[in-house]
């Protein structure tokens, strides 16, 4: 027998500590006391994300979202909501605040996320075309083929205000229009699925969860610009995404949605998959096109832009996965619908891969204009293990760090550049107080240096030099002069590099020097690493007052650097210690200290 | 199926839409949908799928279809699954392992009760359904 109401009490750690358990108990008791125990099930759930508004109670099927609930509210929730069917208004979440960036009707008021790109991910079986079709799939293609002219489609994209989601944010309608206007018998449509930023997996998840949306969008583009062949350039490291794309293409061909004479319209279009070998620079569009032609993936000077002269010298529209996934919705629901979401500068939503020291890591899609604070605290649930927030890196190795003073900036293409980072493709890595900013900058620099194609000197030599200096600083040999050198090399790379990879490589260094200069100075002047990350700058020692001589650390030490008798104070031999930190993890008495 | 014309596509869409709304896919009225993106699979979604199939067979339940879907976005609680049973709210469960899968079959599918401690919220409304998925 199913219940009439389900009362969900958030059982996440943050809500637990604010007495969610007592609320749960009180609700159970009130159900009994008021005689509805048989009609209501009270359940503890996982974290809702809105930890700052906790404890949270949600009642189904009405979907009422109550915040900051106290144990003594249980009585009223049962007597008013459950028995009389009236929502307890004073506890409801404020409906207005989350509608700021998405002025459309169909948004749940308490949710900060809004899913256009990921609309089908988690709903449909990606290997079954029928489920995509049932959810308005290929309806945009119908419109594009039978009801709209090429000019209409471009006008719709212009109204929508869609900008490229690969990072640069170039208006999509302009790209398409350039290609459309060039007279040429052969044109191409390319999907850039060469997602390579550390910590980014938005495109992989989109292709794995909803491959048809990209196929449909590319076909619409083909019709708009007059192209009959498309390529999806995807990294070979994404086997499941490739597998599902292949299934989707096969099913679409069988249904006559891809191939010759699509839906009897007389229009031909087909798509092929090309596998990338994993070079990060091939995510740069001109390098990608070189690689597609079978050449070594190296960026080319622009202009000419690919839209005019791209693959094999032909006009080529190249967009990234997320941009493509927006297109069918814009055509189906109209540019004016899309236009209502986001900010003046950036329309629609953005998908972020929220990772790092965050409680609820995940794939997050929010309207443009949502603040970083909302993403990190309302969606991500705040910093894991109650540590202190330090910074967030957006744009991966091409972006910069953003500190708490900028957390309330509404994110869009322009605002992120103004605060010294960039949108990038959507990686968002959260750091806490245990992360060393110099070490993080070194990590990104190492990545970019490895991935530099070597064609132009500023990137090839500049990146290596930055890396060497950072290494020097983290081992305690840095000088104050090094800080100036880092900045001057960085500025030169920004101006002199051929492509975005070299131009953005110095960003993690420059932005971290700007925001965390004192941490660089600690490494250089005091020869210390405040977060205890840089091994050469730290020593482990045992506090004689706390050590009880249990021998646990000595037994775990991999290099036998710890000596001491049972029930006697232990000592670490600094000449042997490799600073792995195992002793600190092992000690139950907090006797191992870091300096 | 052979290549379709515009009319055939529209007909197919209407038919499939109806099936999905009635949730009557091949005579089965309940569904278990398992998140099988790379993330879900890495976190153990495949043994969970096996556990569901085994538990349904063991209990002789034949009105439940088990299907897969992509990433729901809740990386921190993978593997994630959705359970759709008529007369009950659609529920997303996270941190599901084989034991939880059996519990979901016994308690949710058979007992029509929600399973405590594993419920999570779908992160956004559905823009395709006219009512926002409410």
């Amino acid at each position: 027998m199913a219940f009439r109401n389900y009362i969900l009490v958030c059982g996440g750690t943050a809500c637990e500590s604010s007495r969610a358990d007592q609320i749960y108990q009180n609700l159970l008791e009130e159900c009994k006391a008021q005689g509805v125990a048989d009609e209501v099930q009270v359940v503890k759930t996982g974290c809702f994300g809105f930890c700052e508004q906790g404890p949270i109670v949600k009642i189904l099927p009405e979907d009422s979202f109550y915040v900051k609930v106290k144990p003594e509210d249980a009585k009223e929730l049962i007597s008013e909501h459950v028995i009389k069917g009236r929502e307890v208004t004073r506890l409801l979440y404020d409906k207005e605040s989350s509608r700021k960036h998405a002025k459309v009707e169909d948004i749940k008021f308490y949710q900060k996320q809004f899913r256009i790109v990921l609309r089908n991910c988690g709903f449909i079986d990606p290997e079954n075309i029928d489920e995509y079709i049932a959810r308005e799939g290929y309806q945009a293609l119908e419109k594009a083929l039978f009801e709209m002219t090429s000019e209409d489609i471009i006008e719709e994209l212009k109204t929508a205000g869609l900008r490229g989601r690969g990072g640069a944010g170039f208006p999509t309608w302009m790209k398409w229009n350039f290609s459309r206007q060039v007279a040429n018998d052969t044109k191409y449509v390319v999907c850039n699925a060469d997602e390579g930023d550390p910590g980014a997996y938005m495109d992989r998840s989109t292709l794995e969860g909803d491959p048809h949306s990209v196929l449909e969008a590319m076909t619409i583009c083909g019709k708009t610009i007059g192209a009959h062949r498309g390529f999806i350039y995807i990294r070979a490291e994404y086997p499941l995404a490739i597998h599902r794309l292949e299934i989707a293409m096969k099913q679409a061909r069988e249904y006559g949605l891809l191939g010759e004479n699509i839906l009897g319209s007389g229009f031909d279009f087909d798509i092929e998959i090309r596998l990338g070998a994993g070079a990060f620079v091939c995510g740069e569009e001109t390098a990608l096109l070189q690689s597609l032609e079978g050449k070594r993936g190296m960026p080319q000077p622009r202009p000419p832009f690919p839209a005019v002269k791209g693959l094999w010298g032909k006009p080529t529209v190249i967009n990234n996965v997320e941009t493509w996934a927006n297109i069918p919705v814009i055509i189906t629901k109209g540019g004016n619908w899309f236009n209502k979401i986001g900010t003046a500068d950036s329309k629609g939503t953005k998908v972020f891969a929220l990772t790092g020291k965050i409680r609820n890591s995940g794939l997050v899609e929010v309207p443009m204009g949502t603040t970083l604070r909302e993403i990190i605290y309302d969606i991500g649930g705040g910093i894991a293990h109650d540590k202190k927030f330090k910074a967030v890196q957006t744009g991966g190795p091409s972006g910069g760090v953003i500190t708490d003073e900028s957390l309330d900036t509404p994110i869009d293409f322009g605002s992120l550049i103004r605060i010294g980072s960039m949108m990038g493709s959507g990686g968002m890595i959260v750091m806490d107080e245990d992360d060393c900013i110099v070490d993080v900058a070194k990590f990104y620099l190492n990545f970019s240096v490895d991935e530099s194609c070597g064609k132009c000197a500023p990137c090839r030599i500049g990146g290596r030099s930055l890396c060497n200096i950072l290494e020097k600083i983290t081992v305690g040999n840095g000088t104050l002069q090094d800080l100036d050198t880092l900045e001057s090399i960085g500025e030169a790379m920004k101006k002199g590099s051929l492509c975005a990879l070299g131009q953005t490589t110095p960003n993690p260094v420059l932005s971290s020097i700007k925001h965390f200069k004192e941490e660089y100075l600690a490494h250089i002047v005091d020869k210390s690493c405040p977060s205890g990350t840089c091994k050469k700058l730290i020593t482990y020692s045992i506090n004689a007052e706390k050590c009880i001589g249990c021998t646990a650390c000595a037994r775990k030490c991999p290099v036998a650097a710890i000596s001491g008798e049972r029930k006697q104070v232990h000592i670490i031999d600094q000449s042997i210690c490799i600073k792995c930190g195992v002793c600190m993890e092992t000690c139950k008495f907090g006797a191992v200290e870091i300096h | 199926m052979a290549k379709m014309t515009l009319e055939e596509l529209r007909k197919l869409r209407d038919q499939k839409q109806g099936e999905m709304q009635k949730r009557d896919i091949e005579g089965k009225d309940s569904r278990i949908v398992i998140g099988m993106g790379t993330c879900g699979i890495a976190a153990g979604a495949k043994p969970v799928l096996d556990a569901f199939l085994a538990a349904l067979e063991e209990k002789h339940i034949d009105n439940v279809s088990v299907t897969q879907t992509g990433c729901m976005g809740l990386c921190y609680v993978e593997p994630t699954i959705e359970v759709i049973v008529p007369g009950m709210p659609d529920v997303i469960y996270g941190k599901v392992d084989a034991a939880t899968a059996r519990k979901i079959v016994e308690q949710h599918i058979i007992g029509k009760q929600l399973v405590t401690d594993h419920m999570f919220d779908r992160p956004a409304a559905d823009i395709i359904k006219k009512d926002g998925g409410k």
Side-chain angles (χ1 to χ4, degrees), chain A residues 112-402:
Chain A
K112 300 273 177 179
Q113 293 201 55
F114 190 68
R115 300 201 152 189
I116 298 174
V117 174
L118 301 173
R119 63 193 175 280
N120 286 321
C121 290
F123 278 103
I124 63 166
D125 178 352
E127 296 182 14
N128 183 350
I129 189 173
D130 290 353
E131 296 201 5
Y132 179 71
I133 291 173
R135 287 174 54 82
E136 298 182 359
Y138 289 105
Q139 203 163 312
L141 182 63
E142 278 178 37
K143 267 177 104 172
L145 288 179
F146 297 99
E147 293 165 29
M148 297 170 86
T149 64
S150 297
E151 290 81 0
D152 292 341
I153 295 170
I154 285 176
E155 199 53 40
E156 206 66 62
L157 290 182
K158 191 176 173 183
T159 310
L162 177 68
R163 296 172 61 176
R165 298 296 194 247
F170 191 79
T172 306
W173 74 270
M174 283 175 83
K175 231 184 218 186
W176 290 30
N177 208 27
F178 287 145
S179 284
R180 186 181 69 88
Q181 286 169 340
V182 179
N184 204 315
D185 291 344
T186 313
K187 298 179 186 181
Y188 296 108
V189 177
V190 175
C191 170
N192 182 350
D194 193 60
E195 183 177 50
D197 296 22
Y201 50 94
M202 300 76 54
D203 295 347
R204 189 196 73 207
S205 300
T206 307
L207 290 171
E208 283 177 2
D210 193 16
H212 286 284
S213 66
V214 171
L215 304 184
E216 183 180 3
M218 289 175 72
T219 312
I220 292 169
C221 179
K223 131 93 195 200
T224 311
I225 67 165
H228 301 286
R229 274 179 88 186
F231 294 93
I232 298 175
Y233 186 92
I234 181 168
R235 41 197 295 132
E237 293 96 323
Y238 282 179
L240 187 63
I242 295 163
H243 176 67
R244 291 196 174 145
L245 274 171
E246 282 169 347
I247 293 174
M249 282 162 47
K250 184 168 168 281
Q251 293 178 342
R253 282 192 201 106
E254 282 170 8
Y255 274 16
L257 296 164
L258 203 59
E260 286 175 12
N261 193 15
I262 294 174
L263 290 174
S265 67
F267 173 67
D268 305 332
F269 189 79
D270 213 336
I271 298 173
E272 292 167 48
I273 293 178
R274 288 284 188 277
L275 302 187
F280 180 62
V281 76
C282 287
E284 198 281 335
E285 59 181 18
T286 60
L288 186 151
L289 294 177
Q290 290 283 303
S291 175
L292 251 180
E293 291 180 14
K295 298 176 190 151
R296 183 172 163 188
M298 285 175 129
Q300 304 299 308
R302 294 179 302 188
F305 287 91
V308 177
K309 203 170 171 220
L311 194 58
W312 293 296
K314 307 293 182 187
T316 305
V317 165
I318 173 165
N319 283 132
N320 112 309
V321 172
E322 190 178 333
T323 315
W324 289 120
N326 275 297
I327 307 277
V329 181
I330 293 174
I331 301 296
T332 311
K333 292 190 183 277
N336 276 320
W337 178 87
F338 192 83
N339 191 286
K340 290 193 191 103
I341 304 151
T343 65
D345 158 75
S346 315
K347 299 299 179 190
T349 60
K350 181 76 195 81
V351 185
F352 292 101
L354 184 61
T355 59
K357 307 290 180 63
I358 187 91
R359 197 174 266 139
N360 302 343
S361 59
L363 201 63
V364 167
E365 182 172 351
V366 288
M368 294 276 190
T370 305
T371 66
L372 278 166
R373 189 181 301 282
E374 288 172 293
I375 295 178
I376 293 171
Y377 290 93
D378 292 344
I379 297 170
I383 309 300
H385 311 298
D386 292 321
K387 295 271 185 176
K388 196 164 161 270
F389 170 83
K390 181 169 189 168
V392 56
Q393 174 98 13
T394 63
S398 314
V401 288
I402 298 169

Side-chain angles (χ1 to χ4, degrees), chain A residues 197 372 389-403 406-407 411 415-425 427-431 437 440-441 444-445 448 494 503-516 520:
Chain A
D197 296 22
L372 278 166
F389 170 83
K390 181 169 189 168
V392 56
Q393 174 98 13
T394 63
S398 314
V401 288
I402 298 169
T403 56
S406 305
L407 278 186
I411 357 182
S415 69
L416 282 177
I417 289 171
R418 283 193 292 279
I419 57 177
S421 185
M422 63 183 279
M423 184 75 83
S425 56
M428 190 175 270
I429 302 177
V430 179
M431 294 168 243
I437 210 76
V440 169
Y444 284 119
L445 254 292
S448 297
K494 277 173 121 171
Q503 287 156 13
T504 59
T505 289
N507 282 354
V509 187
L510 296 176
S511 78
S512 60
I513 293 180
K514 186 177 162 207
H515 293 294
F516 294 96
Y520 276 88

